[in-house]
Amino acid sequence: MRTPTRIAGVLTGLALSLGGAAVTAVAAPAVRADIPACVNMAAQAGAGATEAVTAACTRGVSGDLTGCVDGLTQAGVPGGAAGGACRLAALEPR
């Protein structure tokens, strides 16, 4: 009689722990990129808020730092500011 009780206890514990992990994954907020911060930094550095700037910042979100910096540089953002803006693109908005 003890074996079925143990099996039931183990299965219940497993179900609760897996269910808790699923709830945590669903309840956790998604990490979003901060494209507006990237665009604003590029604008402060001299580029207008154009589609090219937004496209470059979007490349930074996907991890293409070189493509982001190149796009911002072509849009008129100096190199150092372009690198900083692209790093901002990958951060969670505040």
Side-chain angles (χ1 to χ4, degrees), residues 1 3-4 7 12 14 17-18 27 39 45-46 50-51 53 57 61 64-65 68-69 72 78 81 89 91 93-94:
M1 294 243 333
T3 302
I7 292 173
T12 301
L14 182 62
S17 66
L18 290 177
V39 171
T50 64
E51 288 182 27
V53 170
C57 288
V61 169
D64 181 10
L65 185 62
C68 178
V69 171
L72 289 180
L91 296 177
R94 296 178 188 228

Side-chain angles (χ1 to χ4, degrees), residues 19-29:
V23 169
T24 302
V26 171

Side-chain angles (χ1 to χ4, degrees), residues 1-16:
M1 294 243 333
R2 295 192 77 181
T3 302
T5 305
R6 282 188 193 166
I7 292 173
V10 169
L11 290 177
T12 301
L14 182 62
L16 289 174

Side-chain angles (χ1 to χ4, degrees), residues 37-82:
C38 175
V39 171
N40 288 338
M41 183 176 222
Q44 289 174 358
T50 64
E51 288 182 27
V53 170
T54 302
C57 288
T58 302
R59 278 183 244 139
V61 169
S62 65
D64 181 10
L65 185 62
T66 303
C68 178
V69 171
D70 288 344
L72 289 180
T73 303
Q74 290 173 2
V77 179

